[in-house]
Each structure stands twice: as C-alpha cells, then as structure tokens.
Amino acid sequence: MNRLEEMQEQFESYHNKYPEVWEEFKKLTFQMINTGRTRYSAKAIFEVIRWSKIITSDNTTDFKISNNHVPFYARAFIETYPEHEGFFQIKKQTSVYKVANNWGEPTPEDV
C-alpha cells in the first residue's frame, strides 16, 4: 500500500463517520461560489468549519479534521459538481510515490 491509498482509506473512514462535514463543506463552498468568486481555498473553508465547530460546541468533545482530508474533499466536490472545475486548485498527489506510514488517523491526543 502506498501513502495515497492509506490516506484515501483514512479519508473514506472519516467521511463515513462524519457526513455532516461534507454537508458543511458543500454549503460553505456554494456560499463562496455565490459571491462571484471563481477560485478559493479548500483549506480556508476547512478553517471556517473548524472555527464554527469550536464556537458552537459544548466543549465535551474535540472536533478534529486532518489536513490530509482537505484535498480529498476538494476533489470530491469537483467530481460531484464538475461545472465548478477550477474553483479549487487541484495538485498532483505525489503521495502515490511514498510508502504508507501506518500511523492511523490522528486523534485529539495526538495534537
């Protein structure tokens, strides 16, 4: 298994466990598209999601999103809504050339 495949598995696991993140990502992305912007940062959208989860939480759980998931959400958005291709800058995933690290998904204790 290479690093890209490992990260893909981690993303899919996270995505299935927290479908509300995908819904929030889509909502915020469409809000930005509706302002007339033709390009924006998926990472910036995730920072807004992180901030809003902290502000609205009751402090009983730590909400975490790995930065490794951001490109997978950006790609999923473009695959789902191809009419918005180019809104996110999609880079080549060089992790396909790296060996999996077998570290698993980061937990709140890791941060």
Side-chain angles (χ1 to χ4, degrees):
M1 174 180 279
N2 64 42
R3 182 67 178 127
L4 176 59
E5 293 166 333
E6 181 181 48
M7 289 190 304
Q8 178 74 41
E9 280 186 2
Q10 291 170 349
F11 163 74
E12 289 171 4
S13 173
Y14 184 89
H15 180 66
N16 291 331
K17 188 174 180 180
Y18 301 104
E20 67 274 12
V21 173
W22 171 240
E23 295 305 316
E24 187 70 9
F25 181 75
K26 291 189 304 183
K27 181 183 96 174
L28 293 172
T29 299
F30 279 119
Q31 283 179 350
M32 190 56 68
I33 289 169
N34 291 336
T35 69
R37 303 248 351 199
T38 58
R39 295 185 60 91
Y40 200 66
S41 164
K43 177 110 170 53
I45 290 171
F46 270 94
E47 295 304 337
V48 172
I49 293 171
R50 286 180 173 123
W51 182 85
S52 66
K53 290 288 187 186
I54 291 169
I55 293 299
T56 60
S57 78
D58 58 5
N59 270 345
T60 59
T61 59
D62 286 325
F63 177 77
K64 302 290 181 191
I65 304 173
S66 171
N67 286 337
N68 292 341
H69 299 332
V70 174
F72 291 98
Y73 278 102
R75 282 179 172 79
F77 184 86
I78 297 307
E79 287 174 15
T80 306
Y81 305 101
E83 66 272 22
H84 297 295
E85 185 173 352
F87 188 72
F88 297 121
Q89 181 180 3
I90 304 294
K91 297 180 180 179
K92 181 178 180 181
Q93 291 180 302
T94 58
S95 55
V96 71
Y97 305 114
K98 298 178 182 175
V99 177
N101 63 27
N102 300 310
W103 289 345
E105 184 71 20
T107 66
E109 293 77 32
D110 297 326
V111 180

